[in-house]
Coordinates of all heavy atoms in Angstrom, one line a residue:
A136 N -99.3 -8.8 -34.4 CA -100.5 -9.6 -33.7 C -101.5 -9.9 -34.8 O -102.0 -11.0 -34.8 CB -101.1 -8.7 -32.7
D137 N -101.8 -9.0 -35.8 CA -102.6 -9.3 -36.8 C -102.2 -10.4 -37.7 O -103.0 -11.2 -38.2 CB -103.0 -8.0 -37.6 CG -103.8 -6.9 -36.8 OD1 -104.4 -7.3 -35.8 OD2 -103.8 -5.8 -37.2
A138 N -100.9 -10.4 -38.0 CA -100.3 -11.5 -38.7 C -100.5 -12.8 -38.2 O -100.8 -13.8 -38.9 CB -98.9 -11.1 -39.1
V139 N -100.3 -12.9 -36.8 CA -100.4 -14.2 -36.2 C -101.9 -14.6 -36.2 O -102.1 -15.8 -36.6 CB -100.0 -14.1 -34.6 CG1 -100.3 -15.3 -33.9 CG2 -98.5 -13.8 -34.5
R140 N -102.8 -13.7 -35.9 CA -104.2 -14.1 -36.0 C -104.7 -14.5 -37.3 O -105.5 -15.3 -37.5 CB -105.0 -12.9 -35.4 CG -104.7 -12.5 -34.0 CD -104.8 -13.7 -33.0 NE -104.6 -13.4 -31.6 CZ -104.1 -14.2 -30.8 NH1 -103.7 -15.5 -31.1 NH2 -103.9 -13.8 -29.5
A141 N -104.1 -13.8 -38.4 CA -104.5 -14.0 -39.8 C -104.1 -15.5 -40.1 O -104.8 -16.2 -40.8 CB -103.8 -13.1 -40.7
D142 N -102.8 -15.9 -39.7 CA -102.4 -17.3 -40.0 C -103.4 -18.2 -39.2 O -103.7 -19.3 -39.8 CB -101.0 -17.5 -39.3 CG -99.9 -17.0 -40.3 OD1 -100.2 -16.5 -41.4 OD2 -98.7 -17.1 -39.8
E143 N -103.8 -18.0 -38.1 CA -104.6 -18.9 -37.3 C -106.0 -19.0 -38.0 O -106.5 -20.1 -38.1 CB -104.7 -18.5 -35.9 CG -103.3 -18.6 -35.2 CD -103.2 -18.1 -33.8 OE1 -104.1 -17.2 -33.5 OE2 -102.4 -18.5 -33.1
R144 N -106.5 -17.8 -38.5 CA -107.9 -17.9 -39.2 C -107.7 -18.7 -40.5 O -108.6 -19.5 -40.8 CB -108.3 -16.5 -39.5 CG -108.8 -15.8 -38.3 CD -109.6 -14.5 -38.7 NE -108.7 -13.6 -39.4 CZ -108.0 -12.6 -38.9 NH1 -107.9 -12.4 -37.6 NH2 -107.3 -11.8 -39.7
E145 N -106.6 -18.6 -41.2 CA -106.3 -19.3 -42.4 C -106.3 -20.8 -42.1 O -106.8 -21.7 -42.9 CB -105.1 -18.8 -43.1 CG -105.0 -19.2 -44.5 CD -104.0 -18.2 -45.3 OE1 -103.2 -17.6 -44.7 OE2 -104.0 -18.4 -46.5
A146 N -105.7 -21.1 -41.1 CA -105.6 -22.6 -40.7 C -106.9 -23.2 -40.4 O -107.2 -24.2 -41.0 CB -104.7 -22.8 -39.4
A147 N -107.8 -22.4 -39.7 CA -109.1 -22.9 -39.6 C -109.8 -23.0 -40.9 O -110.6 -24.0 -41.1 CB -109.8 -21.9 -38.6
A148 N -109.7 -22.0 -41.8 CA -110.4 -22.1 -43.1 C -109.9 -23.4 -43.9 O -110.8 -23.8 -44.6 CB -110.2 -20.8 -43.9
L149 N -108.8 -23.7 -43.8 CA -108.2 -24.9 -44.5 C -108.5 -26.2 -43.8 O -108.2 -27.2 -44.3 CB -106.7 -24.7 -44.5 CG -106.2 -23.7 -45.6 CD1 -104.6 -23.4 -45.4 CD2 -106.5 -24.0 -46.9
G150 N -109.2 -26.2 -42.6 CA -109.5 -27.3 -41.9 C -108.5 -27.9 -41.0 O -108.6 -29.1 -40.7
A151 N -107.5 -27.2 -40.6 CA -106.5 -27.6 -39.6 C -107.1 -27.6 -38.2 O -107.1 -26.5 -37.6 CB -105.2 -26.8 -39.8
G152 N -107.3 -28.8 -37.6 CA -107.7 -28.8 -36.3 C -106.7 -28.9 -35.3 O -106.8 -28.9 -34.1
G153 N -105.4 -29.2 -35.7 CA -104.3 -29.4 -35.0 C -103.0 -29.2 -35.8 O -103.1 -29.0 -37.0
V154 N -101.9 -29.3 -35.2 CA -100.6 -29.1 -35.8 C -99.7 -30.2 -35.4 O -99.8 -30.8 -34.3 CB -100.0 -27.7 -35.4 CG1 -100.7 -26.7 -36.2 CG2 -100.0 -27.4 -34.0
P155 N -98.6 -30.4 -36.2 CA -98.2 -29.7 -37.5 C -99.2 -29.9 -38.5 O -99.7 -31.1 -38.7 CB -96.9 -30.2 -37.8 CG -96.8 -31.6 -37.3 CD -97.6 -31.5 -36.0
F156 N -99.3 -29.0 -39.5 CA -100.2 -29.1 -40.6 C -99.4 -28.6 -41.8 O -99.1 -27.4 -41.8 CB -101.5 -28.3 -40.4 CG -102.6 -28.5 -41.4 CD1 -103.3 -29.8 -41.5 CD2 -102.9 -27.6 -42.3 CE1 -104.2 -30.0 -42.4 CE2 -103.9 -27.8 -43.3 CZ -104.5 -29.0 -43.3
F157 N -99.3 -29.4 -42.8 CA -98.5 -29.1 -44.0 C -99.4 -28.8 -45.3 O -100.2 -29.7 -45.5 CB -97.4 -30.1 -44.3 CG -96.5 -30.4 -43.2 CD1 -96.9 -31.2 -42.1 CD2 -95.2 -30.0 -43.2 CE1 -96.1 -31.6 -41.0 CE2 -94.3 -30.3 -42.1 CZ -94.8 -31.0 -41.0
V158 N -99.2 -27.7 -46.0 CA -99.9 -27.5 -47.2 C -99.0 -27.3 -48.3 O -98.2 -26.4 -48.3 CB -100.9 -26.2 -47.0 CG1 -101.7 -26.0 -48.2 CG2 -102.0 -26.5 -45.8
L159 N -99.2 -28.1 -49.3 CA -98.3 -28.1 -50.4 C -98.9 -27.4 -51.7 O -100.0 -28.1 -52.1 CB -97.8 -29.5 -50.8 CG -96.9 -30.2 -49.8 CD1 -97.8 -30.8 -48.7 CD2 -96.1 -31.3 -50.5

């Protein structure tokens, strides 16, 4: 559960407001 939430927090920090979101 923590791993899922960590991914989601990281997405928000990177500015992802929706998906799919690709970071290279």
Side-chain angles (χ1 to χ4, degrees):
D137 289 345
V139 174
R140 300 307 183 209
D142 277 357
E143 293 172 341
R144 287 194 300 271
E145 198 163 11
L149 290 169
V154 285
F156 189 71
F157 303 77
V158 176
L159 293 80

